[in-house]
Amino acid sequence: MRVLLTGAAGFIGARVSEALCDAGHDVVAVDAMLATAHGPGAEPPPECRVVDIRDAAALAPLLKGIDVVCHQAAVVGAGVNAADAPSYAGHNDYATAVLLAEMFAAGCQRLVLASSMVVYGQGRYDCAEHGLVDPLPRTRADLDAGIFEHRCPICGAAVSWRLVPEDAPLRPRSLYAASKTAQEHYACAWSDAVGGAVMALRYHNVYGPYMPRDTPYSGVAAIFRSELESGDVPRVFEDGRQMRDFVHVDDVAAANVAALEASVEGFAAFNVCSGRPISILEVATELCEARGDAPPVVTGQYRSGDVRHIVADPARAAEVLGFRAAVDPRDGLREFAFAPLRA
Protein backbone atom coordinates (compact mmCIF):
# COMPACT_ATOMS: atom_id res chain seq x y z
CA MET A 1 0.00 0.00 0.00
CA ARG A 2 0.99 3.60 -0.50
CA VAL A 3 1.11 5.25 2.93
CA LEU A 4 1.35 8.90 3.93
CA LEU A 5 3.24 8.97 7.23
CA THR A 6 3.13 12.20 9.24
CA GLY A 7 5.65 12.91 12.00
CA ALA A 8 8.06 10.62 10.20
CA ALA A 9 11.21 12.14 11.71
CA GLY A 10 10.07 11.79 15.32
CA PHE A 11 11.04 9.22 17.93
CA ILE A 12 8.09 6.96 17.12
CA GLY A 13 7.52 8.06 13.53
CA ALA A 14 11.05 7.17 12.41
CA ARG A 15 10.66 3.62 13.69
CA VAL A 16 7.18 3.32 12.15
CA SER A 17 8.67 4.43 8.83
CA GLU A 18 11.30 1.69 8.98
CA ALA A 19 8.73 -0.95 9.90
CA LEU A 20 6.36 0.05 7.09
CA CYS A 21 9.17 -0.05 4.53
CA ASP A 22 10.33 -3.43 5.87
CA ALA A 23 6.77 -4.72 5.42
CA GLY A 24 6.86 -3.71 1.74
CA HIS A 25 4.75 -0.57 1.86
CA ASP A 26 5.48 2.55 -0.21
CA VAL A 27 5.93 5.35 2.35
CA VAL A 28 5.52 9.06 1.68
CA ALA A 29 7.17 10.55 4.77
CA VAL A 30 6.53 14.09 6.02
CA ASP A 31 7.45 16.05 9.16
CA ALA A 32 7.18 19.72 10.14
CA MET A 33 10.65 19.49 11.78
CA LEU A 34 9.64 21.72 14.70
CA ALA A 35 12.64 23.02 16.64
CA THR A 36 10.92 22.12 19.92
CA ALA A 37 10.84 18.46 18.83
CA HIS A 38 14.04 18.10 16.84
CA GLY A 39 16.28 20.93 17.98
CA PRO A 40 17.23 24.13 16.11
CA GLY A 41 18.44 23.56 12.59
CA ALA A 42 17.75 19.80 12.58
CA GLU A 43 17.70 18.21 9.13
CA PRO A 44 15.02 15.69 8.13
CA PRO A 45 16.02 12.10 7.37
CA PRO A 46 16.55 11.17 3.71
CA GLU A 47 13.27 10.82 1.79
CA CYS A 48 11.36 12.81 4.46
CA ARG A 49 9.77 16.02 3.19
CA VAL A 50 9.42 19.09 5.41
CA VAL A 51 5.67 19.72 5.43
CA ASP A 52 3.43 21.30 8.06
CA ILE A 53 0.15 19.44 7.62
CA ARG A 54 -1.79 22.50 8.78
CA ASP A 55 -0.93 23.86 5.31
CA ALA A 56 -3.66 22.36 3.14
CA ALA A 57 -2.06 23.58 -0.09
CA ALA A 58 1.18 21.75 0.71
CA LEU A 59 -0.60 18.63 1.96
CA ALA A 60 -3.14 18.11 -0.84
CA PRO A 61 -0.70 17.02 -3.62
CA LEU A 62 0.88 14.43 -1.32
CA LEU A 63 -2.45 12.64 -0.81
CA LYS A 64 -2.89 11.73 -4.47
CA GLY A 65 -2.78 7.95 -4.79
CA ILE A 66 -2.48 7.40 -1.03
CA ASP A 67 -4.27 4.29 0.27
CA VAL A 68 -3.94 4.99 4.01
CA VAL A 69 -2.63 7.77 6.25
CA CYS A 70 -0.56 6.87 9.31
CA HIS A 71 -0.81 10.00 11.47
CA GLN A 72 1.98 10.19 14.06
CA ALA A 73 2.59 13.96 14.06
CA ALA A 74 1.81 15.63 17.40
CA VAL A 75 3.11 17.94 20.07
CA VAL A 76 3.56 15.61 23.05
CA GLY A 77 3.88 15.76 26.83
CA ALA A 78 1.48 16.72 29.60
CA GLY A 79 2.10 20.45 29.18
CA VAL A 80 4.16 22.66 31.45
CA ASN A 81 1.47 25.31 31.98
CA ALA A 82 -1.67 26.76 30.43
CA ALA A 83 0.38 28.73 27.90
CA ASP A 84 0.97 25.43 26.06
CA ALA A 85 -2.73 25.10 25.15
CA PRO A 86 -2.57 26.88 21.75
CA SER A 87 0.35 24.71 20.67
CA TYR A 88 -1.51 21.50 21.45
CA ALA A 89 -4.72 22.73 19.82
CA GLY A 90 -2.92 23.95 16.72
CA HIS A 91 -0.51 21.10 16.05
CA ASN A 92 -2.66 18.22 17.27
CA ASP A 93 -6.28 19.19 16.65
CA TYR A 94 -6.33 21.79 13.88
CA ALA A 95 -3.70 19.83 11.97
CA THR A 96 -5.79 16.67 12.26
CA ALA A 97 -8.89 18.53 11.05
CA VAL A 98 -6.98 19.79 7.98
CA LEU A 99 -5.64 16.30 7.32
CA LEU A 100 -9.13 14.75 7.49
CA ALA A 101 -10.56 17.38 5.15
CA GLU A 102 -7.81 16.81 2.59
CA MET A 103 -8.17 13.02 2.89
CA PHE A 104 -11.85 13.42 2.03
CA ALA A 105 -11.01 15.62 -0.96
CA ALA A 106 -8.46 13.05 -2.18
CA GLY A 107 -10.77 10.06 -1.67
CA CYS A 108 -8.54 8.46 0.96
CA GLN A 109 -10.72 6.71 3.54
CA ARG A 110 -8.34 4.87 5.88
CA LEU A 111 -6.54 6.42 8.84
CA VAL A 112 -4.24 4.97 11.50
CA LEU A 113 -4.17 7.55 14.28
CA ALA A 114 -1.54 7.74 17.00
CA SER A 115 -3.58 8.32 20.15
CA SER A 116 -2.58 7.86 23.79
CA MET A 117 -3.49 6.26 27.09
CA VAL A 118 -3.90 9.77 28.51
CA VAL A 119 -7.42 9.93 27.08
CA TYR A 120 -8.54 7.63 29.93
CA GLY A 121 -7.63 10.07 32.68
CA GLN A 122 -7.05 8.42 36.04
CA GLY A 123 -7.54 4.79 35.00
CA ARG A 124 -9.85 2.10 36.37
CA TYR A 125 -10.36 1.10 40.01
CA ASP A 126 -12.18 -1.52 42.04
CA CYS A 127 -13.48 -1.39 45.61
CA ALA A 128 -13.57 -4.70 47.50
CA GLU A 129 -17.10 -3.89 48.68
CA HIS A 130 -18.60 -1.81 45.88
CA GLY A 131 -16.92 -3.18 42.74
CA LEU A 132 -15.89 -0.85 39.92
CA VAL A 133 -15.93 2.75 41.12
CA ASP A 134 -14.88 6.15 39.82
CA PRO A 135 -12.78 7.52 42.69
CA LEU A 136 -12.65 11.20 43.46
CA PRO A 137 -9.39 13.04 42.71
CA ARG A 138 -6.77 12.60 45.42
CA THR A 139 -6.79 15.36 47.99
CA ARG A 140 -3.80 17.52 48.80
CA ALA A 141 -4.19 16.55 52.48
CA ASP A 142 -3.83 12.84 51.64
CA LEU A 143 -0.88 13.46 49.32
CA ASP A 144 0.88 15.59 51.93
CA ALA A 145 0.36 12.76 54.43
CA GLY A 146 1.88 10.19 52.05
CA ILE A 147 -1.50 8.56 51.29
CA PHE A 148 -1.24 8.08 47.55
CA GLU A 149 -3.88 5.49 46.73
CA HIS A 150 -7.34 6.52 45.57
CA ARG A 151 -10.29 5.98 47.89
CA CYS A 152 -13.73 4.55 47.19
CA PRO A 153 -16.20 7.45 46.82
CA ILE A 154 -18.82 5.41 48.70
CA CYS A 155 -17.02 3.91 51.70
CA GLY A 156 -13.66 5.68 51.71
CA ALA A 157 -11.63 2.45 51.56
CA ALA A 158 -8.51 2.20 49.39
CA VAL A 159 -9.24 0.87 45.91
CA SER A 160 -7.23 -1.44 43.62
CA TRP A 161 -6.24 -0.75 40.03
CA ARG A 162 -7.67 -2.79 37.17
CA LEU A 163 -6.85 -3.10 33.48
CA VAL A 164 -8.38 -0.33 31.38
CA PRO A 165 -10.33 -1.54 28.31
CA GLU A 166 -10.97 0.57 25.23
CA ASP A 167 -14.61 1.18 26.15
CA ALA A 168 -13.64 3.01 29.36
CA PRO A 169 -14.85 6.62 29.54
CA LEU A 170 -12.54 9.27 28.09
CA ARG A 171 -11.66 11.76 30.85
CA PRO A 172 -8.58 13.81 29.87
CA ARG A 173 -6.72 15.48 32.74
CA SER A 174 -4.02 17.48 30.92
CA LEU A 175 -3.73 19.78 27.92
CA TYR A 176 -2.08 17.03 25.91
CA ALA A 177 -4.79 14.56 26.91
CA ALA A 178 -7.50 17.02 25.88
CA SER A 179 -5.89 17.42 22.45
CA LYS A 180 -5.56 13.65 21.91
CA THR A 181 -9.19 13.13 22.92
CA ALA A 182 -10.23 15.84 20.47
CA GLN A 183 -8.20 14.11 17.73
CA GLU A 184 -10.16 10.92 18.33
CA HIS A 185 -13.48 12.79 18.29
CA TYR A 186 -12.64 14.50 14.99
CA ALA A 187 -11.57 11.19 13.48
CA CYS A 188 -14.68 9.37 14.73
CA ALA A 189 -16.99 12.08 13.34
CA TRP A 190 -15.10 12.01 10.02
CA SER A 191 -15.47 8.23 9.86
CA ASP A 192 -19.23 8.48 10.37
CA ALA A 193 -19.56 11.29 7.82
CA VAL A 194 -17.56 9.75 4.97
CA GLY A 195 -17.74 6.02 5.72
CA GLY A 196 -14.03 5.91 6.44
CA ALA A 197 -12.07 3.52 8.64
CA VAL A 198 -10.11 4.83 11.63
CA MET A 199 -7.85 2.77 13.88
CA ALA A 200 -6.92 4.85 16.93
CA LEU A 201 -3.87 3.35 18.61
CA ARG A 202 -3.75 4.36 22.26
CA TYR A 203 -0.04 4.17 23.06
CA HIS A 204 0.94 3.55 26.64
CA ASN A 205 4.38 4.54 28.00
CA VAL A 206 6.59 4.27 24.92
CA TYR A 207 10.36 4.00 25.38
CA GLY A 208 13.35 2.91 23.34
CA PRO A 209 16.44 4.08 21.46
CA TYR A 210 16.55 7.73 20.34
CA MET A 211 14.00 8.91 22.84
CA PRO A 212 14.37 12.67 23.47
CA ARG A 213 16.46 13.57 26.52
CA ASP A 214 16.49 16.50 28.97
CA THR A 215 13.05 17.96 28.28
CA PRO A 216 10.01 18.45 30.53
CA TYR A 217 7.94 16.80 27.80
CA SER A 218 9.93 13.53 27.84
CA GLY A 219 8.60 10.27 29.14
CA VAL A 220 9.71 9.22 32.60
CA ALA A 221 12.07 6.54 31.26
CA ALA A 222 14.05 9.17 29.33
CA ILE A 223 14.04 11.50 32.33
CA PHE A 224 15.53 8.73 34.49
CA ARG A 225 18.16 8.02 31.82
CA SER A 226 19.07 11.69 31.61
CA GLU A 227 19.50 11.84 35.40
CA LEU A 228 21.79 8.81 35.33
CA GLU A 229 23.93 10.19 32.52
CA SER A 230 24.35 13.48 34.36
CA GLY A 231 25.81 11.57 37.32
CA ASP A 232 22.65 11.82 39.41
CA VAL A 233 20.23 9.07 40.45
CA PRO A 234 16.59 8.78 39.34
CA ARG A 235 14.21 10.62 41.66
CA VAL A 236 10.92 8.75 41.94
CA PHE A 237 7.80 10.63 43.00
CA GLU A 238 5.25 9.45 45.56
CA ASP A 239 6.15 5.96 46.86
CA GLY A 240 7.19 4.56 43.47
CA ARG A 241 4.36 2.03 43.41
CA GLN A 242 2.47 3.77 40.62
CA MET A 243 1.67 1.12 38.01
CA ARG A 244 2.10 1.68 34.29
CA ASP A 245 2.53 -0.28 31.07
CA PHE A 246 5.82 0.41 29.26
CA VAL A 247 5.83 -0.58 25.60
CA HIS A 248 8.94 -0.66 23.41
CA VAL A 249 8.99 1.58 20.34
CA ASP A 250 9.59 -1.48 18.12
CA ASP A 251 6.32 -2.95 19.38
CA VAL A 252 4.55 0.34 18.70
CA ALA A 253 5.85 0.24 15.13
CA ALA A 254 4.63 -3.35 14.76
CA ALA A 255 1.19 -2.31 16.01
CA ASN A 256 1.02 0.36 13.31
CA VAL A 257 1.84 -2.18 10.60
CA ALA A 258 -0.80 -4.55 12.01
CA ALA A 259 -3.43 -1.79 12.10
CA LEU A 260 -2.63 -0.63 8.60
CA GLU A 261 -3.09 -4.16 7.25
CA ALA A 262 -6.19 -5.03 9.30
CA SER A 263 -9.73 -5.20 7.93
CA VAL A 264 -11.45 -2.75 10.27
CA GLU A 265 -14.49 -0.64 9.42
CA GLY A 266 -15.71 2.53 11.10
CA PHE A 267 -13.92 3.87 14.17
CA ALA A 268 -12.09 1.46 16.48
CA ALA A 269 -9.64 2.13 19.32
CA PHE A 270 -6.90 -0.21 20.48
CA ASN A 271 -4.57 -0.19 23.47
CA VAL A 272 -0.96 -0.53 22.37
CA CYS A 273 0.84 -1.87 25.40
CA SER A 274 3.13 -4.64 26.58
CA GLY A 275 0.49 -6.35 28.72
CA ARG A 276 3.10 -6.63 31.50
CA PRO A 277 2.47 -4.00 34.21
CA ILE A 278 5.46 -2.51 36.00
CA SER A 279 5.84 0.09 38.76
CA ILE A 280 7.68 3.38 38.30
CA LEU A 281 10.14 2.31 41.00
CA GLU A 282 10.82 -0.93 39.11
CA VAL A 283 11.52 1.09 35.95
CA ALA A 284 14.09 3.23 37.76
CA THR A 285 15.60 0.20 39.49
CA GLU A 286 16.01 -1.77 36.24
CA LEU A 287 17.88 1.15 34.69
CA CYS A 288 20.13 1.64 37.73
CA GLU A 289 20.96 -2.04 38.13
CA ALA A 290 21.68 -2.51 34.42
CA ARG A 291 24.19 0.35 34.54
CA GLY A 292 25.66 -0.63 37.89
CA ASP A 293 24.64 2.72 39.38
CA ALA A 294 23.32 3.65 42.81
CA PRO A 295 19.65 2.81 43.42
CA PRO A 296 16.90 5.36 42.78
CA VAL A 297 15.67 7.73 45.47
CA VAL A 298 11.99 7.63 46.39
CA THR A 299 11.21 11.25 47.26
CA GLY A 300 7.62 11.10 48.52
CA GLN A 301 7.05 14.29 46.54
CA TYR A 302 4.10 14.51 44.19
CA ARG A 303 2.83 16.55 41.27
CA SER A 304 -0.71 17.83 41.36
CA GLY A 305 -2.80 16.10 38.68
CA ASP A 306 -0.55 13.05 38.28
CA VAL A 307 -2.38 9.81 37.63
CA ARG A 308 -1.80 7.12 40.27
CA HIS A 309 -2.23 3.94 38.19
CA ILE A 310 -3.11 3.36 34.56
CA VAL A 311 -2.59 -0.09 33.07
CA ALA A 312 -4.01 -1.25 29.76
CA ASP A 313 -5.98 -4.29 28.69
CA PRO A 314 -4.21 -5.71 25.59
CA ALA A 315 -6.98 -8.16 24.61
CA ARG A 316 -8.71 -6.21 21.82
CA ALA A 317 -5.50 -5.47 19.91
CA ALA A 318 -4.57 -9.15 20.10
CA GLU A 319 -8.01 -10.33 18.97
CA VAL A 320 -8.71 -7.82 16.18
CA LEU A 321 -5.27 -6.75 14.96
CA GLY A 322 -3.30 -9.87 15.88
CA PHE A 323 -0.88 -7.59 17.74
CA ARG A 324 0.98 -8.84 20.80
CA ALA A 325 4.01 -7.01 22.15
CA ALA A 326 7.23 -8.98 21.79
CA VAL A 327 9.43 -7.06 24.26
CA ASP A 328 9.08 -7.62 28.01
CA PRO A 329 9.58 -4.21 29.71
CA ARG A 330 12.16 -5.62 32.11
CA ASP A 331 14.28 -6.84 29.20
CA GLY A 332 13.66 -3.71 27.14
CA LEU A 333 14.52 -1.35 29.97
CA ARG A 334 17.83 -3.10 30.62
CA GLU A 335 18.66 -2.58 26.95
CA PHE A 336 17.39 1.01 27.12
CA ALA A 337 19.84 1.70 29.96
CA PHE A 338 22.59 2.00 27.31
CA ALA A 339 20.57 3.02 24.24
CA PRO A 340 21.36 6.31 22.47
CA LEU A 341 19.07 9.26 23.17
CA ARG A 342 18.19 12.30 21.07
CA ALA A 343 19.54 15.67 22.09
Side-chain angles (χ1 to χ4, degrees):
M1 283 184 279
R2 187 167 174 81
V3 183
L4 177 67
L5 173 64
T6 72
F11 161 52
I12 295 174
R15 188 64 195 96
V16 171
S17 180
E18 293 176 16
L20 290 173
C21 291
D22 289 346
H25 298 290
D26 181 12
V27 176
V28 177
V30 300
D31 198 294
M33 297 304 296
L34 299 177
T36 51
H38 302 282
E43 293 292 329
E47 309 303 323
C48 179
R49 310 181 197 196
V50 180
V51 175
D52 187 329
I53 60 173
R54 296 174 297 179
D55 183 350
L59 178 63
L62 301 178
L63 282 161
K64 293 178 180 178
I66 293 295
D67 299 302
V68 57
V69 173
C70 189
H71 184 28
Q72 306 294 317
V75 172
V76 301
V80 174
N81 56 50
D84 290 329
S87 178
Y88 286 118
H91 288 287
N92 296 357
D93 302 332
Y94 178 68
T96 299
V98 172
L99 175 63
L100 293 171
E102 294 306 317
M103 287 176 65
F104 171 70
C108 179
Q109 292 196 300
R110 300 193 70 229
L111 173 69
V112 177
L113 173 66
S115 186
S116 171
M117 67 172 189
V118 296
V119 300
Y120 295 126
Q122 64 185 12
R124 195 177 197 193
Y125 297 88
D126 181 81
C127 172
E129 181 176 351
H130 297 103
L132 286 176
V133 293
D134 183 19
L136 297 173
R138 297 180 293 173
T139 67
R140 185 173 294 277
D142 275 354
L143 294 169
D144 285 341
I147 301 170
F148 300 118
E149 297 297 343
H150 282 287
R151 298 177 184 271
C152 173
I154 303 169
C155 66
V159 294
S160 302
W161 62 268
R162 294 289 180 264
L163 298 180
V164 182
E166 289 85 351
D167 59 1
L170 305 188
R171 292 174 176 161
R173 292 169 55 90
S174 70
L175 295 172
Y176 173 60
S179 73
K180 299 307 284 187
T181 304
Q183 275 189 314
E184 287 201 18
H185 287 165
Y186 274 112
C188 184
W190 173 86
S191 172
D192 288 344
V194 307
V198 176
M199 289 134 282
L201 304 183
R202 292 173 180 165
Y203 301 160
H204 284 250
N205 295 75
V206 186
Y207 70 98
Y210 299 104
M211 225 179 154
R213 72 164 81 214
D214 296 329
T215 162
Y217 301 97
S218 280
V220 68
I223 292 172
F224 288 163
R225 268 292 310 277
S226 297
E227 288 172 330
L228 286 166
E229 292 195 358
S230 69
D232 203 347
V233 296
R235 300 186 181 279
V236 180
F237 283 2
E238 301 186 14
D239 57 4
R241 296 175 184 167
Q242 309 94 302
M243 297 301 295
R244 296 290 189 271
D245 190 304
F246 280 75
V247 58
H248 195 278
V249 67
D250 287 350
D251 282 324
V252 172
N256 275 272
V257 175
L260 184 135
E261 296 175 347
S263 298
V264 175
E265 297 181 357
F267 179 92
F270 301 94
N271 287 326
V272 175
C273 58
S274 72
R276 303 171 180 92
I278 187 170
S279 74
I280 296 296
L281 179 56
E282 287 179 281
V283 171
T285 300
E286 291 288 356
L287 294 173
C288 291
E289 289 183 350
R291 293 171 61 94
D293 289 331
V297 173
V298 178
T299 68
Q301 296 173 312
Y302 63 87
R303 292 178 296 190
S304 180
D306 269 4
V307 173
R308 177 59 176 172
H309 307 292
I310 184 161
V311 180
D313 187 341
R316 180 185 288 182
E319 179 182 350
V320 178
L321 304 181
F323 166 74
R324 294 173 178 81
V327 182
D328 186 297
R330 290 154 185 85
D331 296 331
L333 287 164
R334 285 192 288 271
E335 175 191 287
F336 179 64
F338 300 97
L341 299 178
R342 289 187 181 212

